[in-house]
Amino acid sequence: MNITANTRPLGLLGYPVTHSKSPQILNEVCRILGIPATYMAYSVCPDHLKEAVNGMRVLNFIGFNVTIPHKVAIIPYLDELDETAEEIGAVNTVLNKDGKLIGYNTDGVGYLRSLQEETAFSLKNKIVTILGAGGAARAVSITLAKAGAAKVFIANRTQSKAEELANVLGTFTSASAVALLQAHEKIAESHLLVNTTSIGMSPHTEVMPVPADYLHPKLLVSDLIYRPEETKLLLSAKQIGARTHGGLGMLLHQAAVAVEHWFNETAPILQMRAILENED
Ligand code: ATR
């Protein structure tokens, strides 16, 4: 890339950021779209978050991504939140609009686009069970509820957290909470099951969030985990003839939506997917 005095910065704020593929993907996006910008990953410890955000403001960043552990903590340092970020209570994308830092959350819409593109699943009159009640569960469940799911069950190890999230969801649709290992009946009624927990993630690939006999063939089983591409949960679902949906698409589409916020242009999805799928 030809860096000149007009090249503007973009970046990722996280802690740590060493395994992120965002720099590769976003620099390629800028090259393809002809945008004079360069994207770097910044490992910033929580104590320095405020200074980092103000630094990005004065250095006139186009925008930046935000990842663990800063997605909630960054909110007081921004000037505005869009409606979805406000509802989710977390930010993963910031746009610098003429000096005003606006926070967005593209995780939920990224998930929904991936689900629709890869499975054509329609949410109308559908019952959904979400495994987990953390940040990812919040983004996905609020998005699915707003997109028309008829009923959402939140199944979590810590039931009080499931109840908190179900209360929030109650504004958008019918919602209730259950303990993770008591979710059998709720899953039996469901059309879509989404794992948002880290159970089954590499290197602990032999475990699954719920026993295999909770699954049934009419279920679409979706896992936000993208490494391995097929978790034990998805393999078990396939074995009984259920449809499956892996986590790579969400990662891709949440980045694509960020690109749209920053550049007001459609993201080059195919090239972005090729980088993500390239194991290294
Ligand atoms: P994220 O932002 O990825 O959603 P998070 O906010 O830390 O991460 O949430 C992690 C979720 O995975 C939680 O729902 C957590 O359950 P608890 O609320 O009971 O902690 C769930 N989780 C993580 N490890 C788990 C495990 N070993 N067994 C059951 N649930 C687990």
Side-chain angles (χ1 to χ4, degrees):
M1 164 158 352
N2 190 16
I3 295 180
T4 71
N6 295 318
T7 306
R8 284 181 63 194
L10 276 167
L12 168 68
L13 274 186
Y15 188 67
V17 291
T18 31
H19 295 295
S20 173
K21 282 203 170 176
S22 295
Q24 269 168 280
I25 296 171
L26 271 305
N27 284 311
E28 180 63 4
V29 167
C30 291
R31 194 189 63 76
I32 292 167
L33 297 180
I35 289 162
T38 183
Y39 187 107
M40 302 265 287
Y42 301 96
S43 185
V44 173
C45 74
D47 285 351
H48 290 150
L49 179 63
K50 184 178 180 181
E51 288 165 276
V53 173
N54 285 333
M56 289 164 127
R57 189 196 294 273
V58 299
L59 293 174
N60 199 22
F61 270 61
I62 294 174
F64 52 92
N65 289 123
V66 185
T67 189
I68 292 165
H70 303 316
K71 286 182 171 188
V72 177
I74 196 164
I75 291 176
Y77 311 131
L78 303 177
D79 302 308
E80 214 175 89
L81 286 190
D82 98 315
E83 188 186 292
T84 307
E86 180 111 48
E87 284 161 354
I88 295 171
V91 164
N92 76 336
T93 301
V94 175
L95 168 69
N96 177 4
K97 195 175 179 195
D98 307 321
K100 196 161 77 174
L101 298 184
I102 306 173
Y104 296 87
N105 190 310
T106 68
D107 285 332
V109 63
Y111 174 78
L112 187 59
R113 280 197 195 179
S114 162
L115 185 74
Q116 288 174 338
E117 184 190 274
E118 290 165 47
T119 72
F121 185 81
S122 155
L123 285 159
K124 196 158 178 264
N125 300 323
K126 295 296 180 9
I127 303 176
V128 180
T129 295
I130 306 277
L131 306 178
R138 211 177 149 91
V140 168
S141 62
I142 290 176
T143 306
L144 294 179
K146 288 181 76 178
K151 201 187 271 187
V152 179
F153 297 120
I154 303 294
N156 195 46
R157 174 177 61 181
T158 311
Q159 205 177 334
S160 58
K161 279 178 70 185
E163 274 156 17
E164 260 173 58
L165 179 51
N167 270 341
V168 173
L169 288 173
T171 342
F172 307 110
T173 191
S174 161
S176 61
V178 64
L180 187 61
L181 295 178
Q182 285 164 12
H184 197 169
E185 281 172 24
K186 306 296 186 202
I187 296 171
E189 291 186 46
S190 298
H191 304 93
L192 173 65
L193 176 71
V194 189
N195 175 42
T196 74
T197 77
S198 52
I199 305 169
M201 191 184 285
S202 180
H204 306 291
T205 55
E206 277 316 299
V207 284
M208 49 196 288
V210 288
D213 62 8
Y214 282 22
L215 308 178
H216 58 82
K218 288 194 175 152
L219 208 51
L220 170 57
V221 181
S222 176
D223 202 328
L224 303 196
I225 293 172
Y226 57 90
R227 201 164 285 138
E229 222 170 293
E230 284 200 310
T231 56
K232 189 166 182 207
L233 178 69
L234 294 187
L235 291 170
S236 307
K238 267 192 176 164
Q239 261 171 15
I240 59 156
R243 296 169 71 206
T244 60
H245 169 242
L248 203 81
M250 173 177 174
L251 194 65
L252 172 70
H253 285 280
Q254 61 80 26
V257 180
V259 164
E260 290 167 17
H261 285 307
W262 291 330
F263 311 138
N264 222 356
E265 288 199 47
T266 308
I269 287 283
L270 291 180
Q271 292 96 326
M272 292 168 76
R273 186 184 282 278
I275 297 172
L276 263 182
E277 285 175 350
N278 183 6
E279 289 279 337
D280 54 27

